[in-house]
């Protein structure tokens, strides 16, 4: 930018006279106009730095608290604007420098994590260095989001670890919020707020907020009021405004609210219990219940109870076995007689039950204790306990056990032990889970020490885990070099396919991408028998491939069951970024860590891609080969493979 150019050049008329507009330079313009010019979108921060160094006048115009740097900051990081008040006076240059520096630090850290934790399940202790940066939290999150929102097909490994770090950081914030929530007096705790915190912790990357959920419930409340108005235009609930603490005292007026609520929720909006997919964890997340209009007894009960209280009807949660209920007092409040209540089944479209009819729901009699009202903390424990059981169910199921089930179990254990930190049963489960996955050994020792202090009778289980955890810590100090598999080796001559190829399973029909291989099946004899490998024409004596499947599972497939996909597409698997850096039209490009383990596979993959997909346009195949240097992919370690293939299926 020419800062000393003429603004109005004098011109010579017919008589050669010069006009009154003498030579003027840019710096003679008013500061407001200079700021306006320097805020043009085409100018970047480098341009502003250069301009501010050209002379004192422009240096003053580009001062840190001025409009120019404020514009640059907002232009580059628009998501951060919600953290500043409108027209806030701020040192924008300082903010810009800090945010820029944090961005560089975050990217360096993500890259280093990807190199160090390729063979491990990444967990919180891996990300401690992010917190140790001491950088503003919203700057860290914004940079991680910038990584995640970049080109969809590129930087997959960077995105993979950025996502895990963001997941961890948000969960730490939510845990802090949950602890503050639990410290409140019991009468101030809202079941809805607790349910939202559980939802947020299990879905930290989703856009879930208490304000957003409350807004949706307010819309349903307005529909119920509209229904009430048609029946009783003078009903006191119609005068209630958002946030009011109000209770209807007359039983007939309460009944009118319940009738209107049932009509709106179950008839107009078509909410229902999810009988067909009962064990889907989405049924427990309040934002998904509102989105899908279905849930399980406890999630629908929290929704129903919250709506009723907004309209002045006080319902209480009942921890009934196998089927969560609400109770509605029909007589004097504070009664302890279970027959003074009607029990509402929110899962059963608001059906009202007597105490005896409740027993028909579960098929056996229960004591009066099960009809008692419970606290918000107990509601959350029941809700988290459901998620915990779903996670265990998914892991124990051969076909369904995958990364999502392990993540759900870890998340639900975190939540349960935050609410009830001295539960020995779940502390031991958490220690065993971490030990099984080979993660966070120092944390395992802390958990085991806590268990021993709480219950010395557990010394047998604790001692076994302590011994093997110490061995694991020692092993980590002396890591074994990863096995390198070269296609040129004589024992690998029968291996037809290479990492990065998109394949289709001939018998099951699933789409997948190869991320590792063995010249022969390396699984146990028990697994080979269970998977009926002997029924294959070549049995276990053929190459087997580690594949990431479209449905989110990791499988171990026989070579005779796989074929290259005729029209390869991206594989939507959460672990793709762990092994691959990019999707390139018809195949995946292995990242550096994978290439180290399979140093000759990349060239093979490129050759296969050219032969299969670029026969008619050889130039495109050559171009593809020029863009991707055939360094060669790498595979998974034996420990990693044994973990991922527990649920693998060869057939």
């Amino acid at each position: 930018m020419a800062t000393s150019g003429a603004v109005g050049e004098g011109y010579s008329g017919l008589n050669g006279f010069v006009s009154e507009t003498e030579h003027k330079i840019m710096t003679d313009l008013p500061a407001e106009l200079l700021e306006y010019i320097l805020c043009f979108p085409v100018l970047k921060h480098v341009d502003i730095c250069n301009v501010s160094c050209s002379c004192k006048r422009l240096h003053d115009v580009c001062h840190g608290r001025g409009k120019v740097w404020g514009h640059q900051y907002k232009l580059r990081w628009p998501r951060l604007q919600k953290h500043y008040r409108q027209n806030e006076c701020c040192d924008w240059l300082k903010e810009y420098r800090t945010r820029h520096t944090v961005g560089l630090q975050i990217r360096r850290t993500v890259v280093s994590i990807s190199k160090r934790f390729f063979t491990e399940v990444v967990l919180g202790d891996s990300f401690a260095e992010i917190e140790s940066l001491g950088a503003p939290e919203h700057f860290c999150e914004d940079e991680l989001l910038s990584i995640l929102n970049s080109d969809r097909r590129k930087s997959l490994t960077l995105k993979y670890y950025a996502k895990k770090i963001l997941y961890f950081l948000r969960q730490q914030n939510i845990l802090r919020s949950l602890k503050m929530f639990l410290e409140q007096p019991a009468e101030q705790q809202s079941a809805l707020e607790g349910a939202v915190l559980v939802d947020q912790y299990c879905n930290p990357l989703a856009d879930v907020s208490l304000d957003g959920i409350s807004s949706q419930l307010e819309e349903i409340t307005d529909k119920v009021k509209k229904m009430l108005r048609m029946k009783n235009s003078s009903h006191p609930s119609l005068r209630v405004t958002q946030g009011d603490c109000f209770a209807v005292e007359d039983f007939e007026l309460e009944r009118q609210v319940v009738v209107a609520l049932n009509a709106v929720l179950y008839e107009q909006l078509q909410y229902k219990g999810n009988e067909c997919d009962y064990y889907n964890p989405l049924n427990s997340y309040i934002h998904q219940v509102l989105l899908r209009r279905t849930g399980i007894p406890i999630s629908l009960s929290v929704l129903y109870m919250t709506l009723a209280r907004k309209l002045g009807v006080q319902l209480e949660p009942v921890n009934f076995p196998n089927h969560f209920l609400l109770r509605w007092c029909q007589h004097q409040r504070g009664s302890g007689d279970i027959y003074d209540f009607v029990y509402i089944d929110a899962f059963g479209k608001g059906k009202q039950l007597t105490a005896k009819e409740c027993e028909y729901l579960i098929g056996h009699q229960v004591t009066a204790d099960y009809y008692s009202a419970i606290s918000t903390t107990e509601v959350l424990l029941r809700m988290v306990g459901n998620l915990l059981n779903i996670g265990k169910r998914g892991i124990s199921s051969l076909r369904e056990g995958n990364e999502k089930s392990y993540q759900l179990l870890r998340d639900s254990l975190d939540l349960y032990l935050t609410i009830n930190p001295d539960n020995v049963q779940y502390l031991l489960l958490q220690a065993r889970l971490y030990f099984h996955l080979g993660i966070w050994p120092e944390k395992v020792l802390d958990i085991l020490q806590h268990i021993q202090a709480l219950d010395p009778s557990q010394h047998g289980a604790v001692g076994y885990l302590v011994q093997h955890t110490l061995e694991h810590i020692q092993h980590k100090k002396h890591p074994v070099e990863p096995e390198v598999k070269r296609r040129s080796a004589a024992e690998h001559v029968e291996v037809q396919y290479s990492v990065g190829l998109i394949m289709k399973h001939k018998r099951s029909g699933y789409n997948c991408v190869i991320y590792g291989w063995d010249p022969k099946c390396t699984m146990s004899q028990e697994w080979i028998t269970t998977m009926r490998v002997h029924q294959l024409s070549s049995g276990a004596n053929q190459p087997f491939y580690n594949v990431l499947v479209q449905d989110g599972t990791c499988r171990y497939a026989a070579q005779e069951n796989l074929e290259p996909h005729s029209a390869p597409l991206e594989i939507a698997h959460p672990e793709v970024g762990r092994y691959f850096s990019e999707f390139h039209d018809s195949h995946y490009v292995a990242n550096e860590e994978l290439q180290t383990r399979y140093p000759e596979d990349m060239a093979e993959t490129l050759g296969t891609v050219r032969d299969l997909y670029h026969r008619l346009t050889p130039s495109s195949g050559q171009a593809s080969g020029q863009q991707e240097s055939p360094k060669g992919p790498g595979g998974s370690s034996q420990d990693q493979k044994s973990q991922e293939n527990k649920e693998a299926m060869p057939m």
Side-chain angles (χ1 to χ4, degrees):
M1 178 181 293
T3 58
S4 59
V7 174
E9 296 285 358
Y11 68 92
S12 299
L14 294 175
N15 298 324
F17 291 107
V18 178
S19 70
E20 292 182 359
T21 55
E22 298 291 344
H23 290 312
K24 288 184 178 288
I25 59 176
M26 181 178 175
T27 51
D28 290 334
L29 294 174
E32 293 81 359
L33 187 53
L34 286 173
E35 286 181 334
Y36 179 80
I37 294 170
L38 294 173
C39 285
F40 271 35
V42 295
L43 297 177
K44 306 301 181 187
H45 70 282
V46 175
D47 301 315
I48 302 304
C49 288
N50 290 335
V51 166
S52 64
C53 293
S54 62
C55 67
K56 186 177 185 306
R57 167 71 168 151
L58 290 175
H59 183 271
D60 293 341
V61 171
C62 299
H63 65 90
R65 294 184 174 274
K67 188 180 295 183
V68 177
W69 277 111
H71 172 77
Q72 282 294 321
Y73 184 85
K74 294 167 187 175
L75 194 66
R76 185 167 178 185
W77 298 295
R79 280 190 302 267
L80 292 175
Q81 296 319 297
K82 62 184 179 182
H83 297 283
Y84 301 94
R85 295 186 301 275
Q86 192 172 8
N87 300 322
E88 180 176 355
C89 182
C90 181
D91 190 337
W92 295 112
L93 178 55
K94 182 180 178 182
E95 292 287 287
Y96 195 102
R97 285 172 175 160
T98 304
R99 171 62 184 84
H100 179 72
T101 302
V102 169
L104 295 176
Q105 291 173 327
I106 291 292
R107 286 182 180 264
R108 280 196 297 267
T109 304
V110 175
V111 169
S112 71
I113 285 176
S114 71
K115 294 182 182 301
R116 286 180 287 133
F117 298 99
F118 177 67
T119 60
E120 299 182 19
V121 179
V122 178
L123 202 61
D125 59 340
S126 312
F127 306 140
E129 57 202 272
I130 293 286
E131 293 186 311
S132 70
L133 292 176
E137 191 175 288
H138 57 291
F139 285 180
C140 295
E141 181 166 316
D142 187 66
E143 183 61 31
L144 293 168
L145 286 171
S146 296
I147 295 172
L148 292 175
N149 293 332
S150 58
D151 190 331
R152 183 170 59 89
R153 294 185 170 192
K154 296 183 182 296
S155 304
L156 300 182
T157 301
L158 198 65
K159 290 176 185 175
Y160 173 79
Y161 289 99
K163 185 176 182 179
K164 285 188 171 293
I165 294 170
L166 184 59
Y167 196 101
F168 169 75
L169 293 177
R170 285 190 173 178
Q171 281 194 328
Q172 297 311 296
N173 278 336
I174 297 161
L175 274 189
R176 284 190 283 269
S177 298
L178 177 59
K179 289 174 181 176
M180 290 172 61
F181 172 82
L182 295 170
E183 289 171 358
Q184 295 177 3
E187 62 275 8
Q188 294 180 17
Q189 293 176 354
S190 153
L192 178 68
E193 184 178 352
V196 169
L197 286 167
V198 170
D199 188 345
Q200 288 175 326
Y201 191 80
C202 294
N203 302 281
L205 303 183
D207 184 16
V208 180
S209 69
L210 180 59
D211 288 343
I213 299 297
S214 298
S215 177
Q216 292 180 67
L217 293 191
E218 208 57 45
E219 291 177 10
I220 299 175
T221 303
D222 289 341
K223 293 180 187 295
V224 178
K225 287 182 178 179
K226 185 177 180 180
M227 181 76 69
L228 264 178
R229 191 173 287 108
M230 293 167 59
K231 303 292 183 181
N232 182 358
S233 59
S234 61
H235 197 288
S237 295
L238 300 175
R239 299 190 294 271
V240 179
T241 57
Q242 187 174 356
D244 284 355
C245 186
F246 165 76
V248 174
E249 299 296 337
D250 182 79
F251 175 73
E252 174 57 26
L253 294 176
E254 284 188 345
R255 188 193 66 79
Q256 291 174 9
V257 170
V258 172
V259 169
L261 179 55
N262 285 345
V264 169
L265 208 56
Y266 301 111
E267 296 173 23
Q268 184 177 333
L269 298 178
Q270 295 289 297
Y271 277 78
K272 61 182 179 181
N274 195 345
E275 296 178 349
C276 299
D277 194 13
Y278 192 87
Y279 294 102
N280 189 330
L282 299 183
N283 294 324
S284 296
Y285 304 142
I286 201 72
H287 86 280
Q288 287 289 347
V289 172
L290 289 166
L291 180 66
R292 299 158 70 238
R293 300 189 180 185
T294 188
I296 53 175
I298 190 167
S299 57
L300 289 170
S301 292
V302 169
L303 177 64
Y304 194 106
M305 177 175 65
T306 304
L307 291 168
R309 288 184 176 180
K310 283 177 174 290
L311 294 159
V313 178
Q314 303 300 309
L315 303 180
E316 297 173 302
V318 176
N319 203 17
F320 206 68
N322 302 324
H323 200 104
F324 201 86
L325 296 169
L326 298 170
R327 72 178 193 178
W328 174 24
C329 188
Q330 307 291 292
H331 297 88
Q332 184 178 1
R333 295 196 186 280
S335 170
D337 190 340
I338 65 172
Y339 297 102
D340 285 347
F341 294 87
V342 161
Y343 299 87
I344 296 177
D345 180 10
F347 185 82
K349 297 189 175 182
K351 185 178 180 180
Q352 296 177 18
L353 308 167
T354 63
K356 194 66 181 174
E357 288 171 330
C358 291
E359 294 179 348
Y360 297 148
L361 278 176
I362 58 174
H364 61 83
Q365 292 183 331
V366 295
T367 62
D369 293 343
Y370 287 103
Y371 292 90
S372 302
I374 60 171
S375 68
T376 297
T377 299
E378 290 171 301
V379 172
L380 296 188
L381 284 174
R382 172 85 175 246
M383 184 173 281
V384 173
N386 288 338
L387 288 168
L388 205 153
N389 288 328
I390 293 170
K392 289 194 290 186
R393 181 188 178 94
I395 289 171
S396 63
S397 169
L398 182 64
R399 289 184 174 270
E400 297 175 11
N402 56 24
E403 177 68 19
K404 288 184 179 179
S405 296
Y406 281 109
Q407 188 66 59
L408 178 59
L409 185 56
R410 280 157 48 182
D411 290 345
S412 51
L413 278 170
D414 286 345
L415 287 168
Y416 199 100
L417 292 170
T418 297
I419 302 169
N420 185 9
D422 295 335
N423 186 296
V424 172
Q425 175 191 353
Y426 287 135
L427 282 168
L428 196 54
L429 177 59
Q430 187 178 56
R432 283 174 171 157
L433 176 65
Y434 288 171
F435 175 75
H436 170 72
L437 295 176
I439 56 177
W440 220 341
E442 294 78 13
K443 172 85 170 181
V444 172
L445 291 178
D446 290 341
I447 296 170
L448 294 173
Q449 186 177 7
H450 187 43
I451 293 171
Q452 189 65 36
L454 291 171
D455 185 1
S457 68
Q458 297 288 340
H459 66 274
V462 168
Y464 174 85
L465 288 172
V466 166
Q467 178 186 344
H468 286 82
T469 301
L470 289 172
E471 290 175 1
H472 180 210
I473 292 173
Q474 203 60 31
H475 177 73
K476 282 181 68 177
K477 293 178 180 177
H478 308 285
V480 178
E481 286 297 317
E483 180 185 5
V484 176
K485 296 180 181 177
R486 299 183 182 276
R487 306 184 66 81
S488 56
E491 63 270 24
H492 299 155
V493 67
E494 294 182 8
V495 178
Q496 294 180 10
Y497 307 123
S498 50
V499 296
L501 287 178
I502 310 296
M503 310 297 287
K504 185 169 185 176
H505 197 279
K506 296 177 184 177
R507 299 175 64 180
S508 302
Y510 61 72
N511 300 332
C512 58
V513 58
I514 296 172
Y515 70 95
W517 50 258
D518 296 306
K520 301 289 185 290
C521 181
T522 60
M523 300 302 284
S524 67
Q525 189 58 48
E526 180 184 359
W527 185 91
I528 290 173
T529 302
T530 303
M531 294 294 103
R532 304 188 300 278
V533 173
H534 61 278
Q535 294 181 10
L536 299 172
S537 60
S538 299
N541 193 31
Q542 63 175 307
F544 271 69
Y545 296 85
N546 299 99
V547 294
L548 301 176
V549 184
Q550 186 76 31
D551 64 5
T553 57
C554 304
R555 306 196 189 188
Y556 198 46
Q559 181 165 280
E560 68 180 70
N561 280 339
L562 293 175
E563 62 183 357
H565 203 289
S566 58
L569 298 171
E570 291 178 82
I571 302 298
H573 192 287
E575 296 293 296
V576 160
R578 183 176 179 182
Y579 304 101
F580 303 102
S581 61
E582 179 182 348
F583 179 73
H584 196 283
D585 298 330
S586 55
H587 65 284
Y588 279 93
V589 179
N591 60 23
E592 290 182 22
E593 291 72 38
L594 195 57
Q595 289 186 36
T596 301
R597 291 157 184 261
Y598 294 84
E600 298 173 356
D601 268 41
M602 197 69 238
E604 184 72 17
T605 298
L606 292 173
T608 303
V609 167
R610 281 194 294 269
D611 292 343
L612 288 175
Y613 310 119
H614 302 306
R615 289 172 185 165
L616 299 179
T617 56
S619 61
S620 62
Q622 292 165 5
S624 147
Q626 290 168 359
Q627 290 171 6
E628 302 159 5
S629 58
K631 297 178 184 176
S636 58
S637 67
Q638 189 63 35
D639 289 344
Q640 169 194 335
K641 188 189 311 173
S642 63
Q643 173 193 323
E644 291 170 329
N645 291 333
K646 284 181 179 174
E647 62 275 9
M649 289 177 280
M651 321 241 302

